[in-house]
Amino acid sequence: MSDQNASDFPDDLFHARRELHEVHAALRTMQAARPWSVEPSKGWDDSDSGRWYPSVRPATEGWTEEEVAAYAALQDRARELSAFVITHAFWATVAAPERAQARSKLIDATRPEPTEPTPAT
């Protein structure tokens, strides 16, 4: 396996793993742009409770039904892609001791290039 290149992976497996990276990025982006709680919450502030790890959460009206549905659809797609990648017939062609390394190579080969964060205005 040590001499295997990204091009040695079947196209369907390679593209599914690449899409899985994209879906995970979309999930993270959606989470970051939405309130902390999907459900409406009054929030809390126990910052002066004397606990070693105080917690503060603002009140939120939660997510809209459309946001919940869109997030659920992304989660469903991530599960489908994960199952496809994990159970792909290609893995049976890789010797068991080399499978973990092969899976890591696939992940590395399909990972998108990092992008610079957009400065806040």
Side-chain angles (χ1 to χ4, degrees), residues 5-28:
N5 297 318
S7 61
D8 293 332
F9 294 105
D11 284 344
D12 61 339
L13 176 60
F14 187 86
H15 293 297
R17 189 61 185 94
R18 176 168 282 163
E19 184 181 350
L20 186 55
H21 283 298
E22 293 167 1
V23 170
H24 284 156
L27 285 165
R28 285 190 301 275

Side-chain angles (χ1 to χ4, degrees), residues 33-73:
R34 304 290 176 297
W36 64 271
S37 177
V38 174
E39 300 294 326
S41 174
K42 293 185 279 184
W44 65 83
D45 182 349
D46 71 353
S47 59
D48 55 355
S49 67
R51 291 185 181 168
W52 67 276
Y53 188 81
S55 176
V56 178
R57 293 286 184 260
T60 177
E61 293 185 15
W63 294 16
T64 66
E65 288 182 24
E66 293 81 15
E67 291 170 332
V68 171
Y71 193 81

Side-chain angles (χ1 to χ4, degrees), residues 25 29 112-118:
T29 299
E113 292 295 320
T115 58
E116 290 295 318
T118 306

